[in-house]
Amino acid sequence: MSVLLIAGSPSEHSRSSTLLSGVARRLHDQVDDRRLRVERLQIRDLSPQALLLADWGNSSVLRAIEQVAHARALVVATPVYKAAYSGVLKVFLDLLPQTALKGKVVLPIATGGSPHHMLALDYALRPVLQSLGARHILPGVYASDSQIPKDADGEYQPGEEIQTRLDDAVSILLHEGLHWPVTPVFAPVPFAQAQYSV
């Protein structure tokens, strides 16, 4: 079983890619790599000419489409520009077959300049994912720029609220989306050993 992390930012270092890396860390922390393969697809690394000219025969595009086909779940991260997901992500989604997401679970993630762009997840990205046949689109995670400031080293660092929301999103992805078994926190206690008072 595999999860494909799709980075839809045109920038190498971005807030949305930082959130995607946070999802990857959480997946690796919770599940053994041998049981769940986590792969990453940077759309910006695909051939720009092939993307713009809809060249399905291009080798980088073919590999990316195959990655989508083999994944059980997708995490799609994008910056929001002008109330919509990135153009880089748009041209890639346009290249996918109409049923490319059939039977798949999708977790959408977006970042934007202000909280006003939050609805782009529901009004711009979600309908496209549904049109591609996604089985289950999980509640998304949206973060504004102020919630992912840069640290002293100039690296983006999600704030505590966003960290908590990523924890919840990954838990939902694993346990509700992929039906991953919940690891018990403590051993079960037989009823005969239970003590109670009235």
Side-chain angles (χ1 to χ4, degrees):
M1 185 182 303
S2 69
V3 175
L4 179 61
L5 310 178
I6 300 179
S9 175
S11 303
E12 184 176 356
H13 303 291
S14 67
R15 289 177 170 88
S16 60
S17 293
T18 297
L19 294 186
L20 206 56
S21 296
V23 169
R25 278 193 306 278
R26 286 164 174 79
L27 289 171
H28 287 302
D29 288 347
Q30 294 187 42
V31 183
D32 188 305
D33 290 347
R34 290 170 295 181
R35 298 174 65 205
L36 182 69
R37 193 172 68 253
V38 179
E39 298 179 351
R40 191 162 181 147
L41 169 60
Q42 303 265 24
I43 297 174
R44 66 182 302 277
D45 292 340
L46 303 179
S47 164
Q49 183 173 355
L51 286 173
L52 291 175
L53 297 179
D55 182 2
W56 286 275
N58 179 273
S59 59
S60 68
V61 170
L62 283 172
R63 277 193 306 276
I65 292 173
E66 284 176 17
Q67 281 184 283
V68 171
H70 292 117
R72 172 84 182 278
L74 305 173
V75 181
V76 180
T78 179
V80 174
Y81 302 121
K82 298 182 180 174
Y85 53 95
S86 73
V88 173
L89 180 59
K90 166 74 172 149
V91 293
F92 178 69
L93 293 176
D94 285 347
L95 284 173
L96 294 177
Q98 192 60 48
T99 57
L101 303 185
K102 185 175 181 180
K104 299 184 191 302
V105 177
V106 183
L107 169 61
I109 293 176
T111 59
S114 76
H116 296 80
H117 297 300
M118 181 185 309
L119 294 178
L121 276 174
D122 291 326
Y123 292 113
L125 186 55
R126 185 175 293 267
V128 175
L129 298 174
Q130 286 174 328
S131 75
L132 291 169
R135 175 176 65 89
H136 189 24
I137 302 174
L138 303 174
V141 176
Y142 177 87
S144 61
D145 289 356
S146 63
Q147 294 175 306
I148 312 174
K150 286 187 176 181
D151 61 18
D153 298 325
E155 299 293 326
Y156 291 118
Q157 196 60 247
E160 189 174 321
E161 179 192 352
I162 299 303
Q163 299 275 12
T164 301
R165 288 173 53 205
L166 285 178
D167 289 340
D168 293 343
V170 169
S171 179
I172 292 170
L173 172 63
L174 285 173
H175 304 300
E176 292 180 26
L178 296 175
H179 304 293
W180 208 263
V182 177
T183 306
V185 178
F186 54 85
V189 177
F191 184 76
Q193 293 179 6
Q195 297 180 1
Y196 57 92
S197 62
V198 181

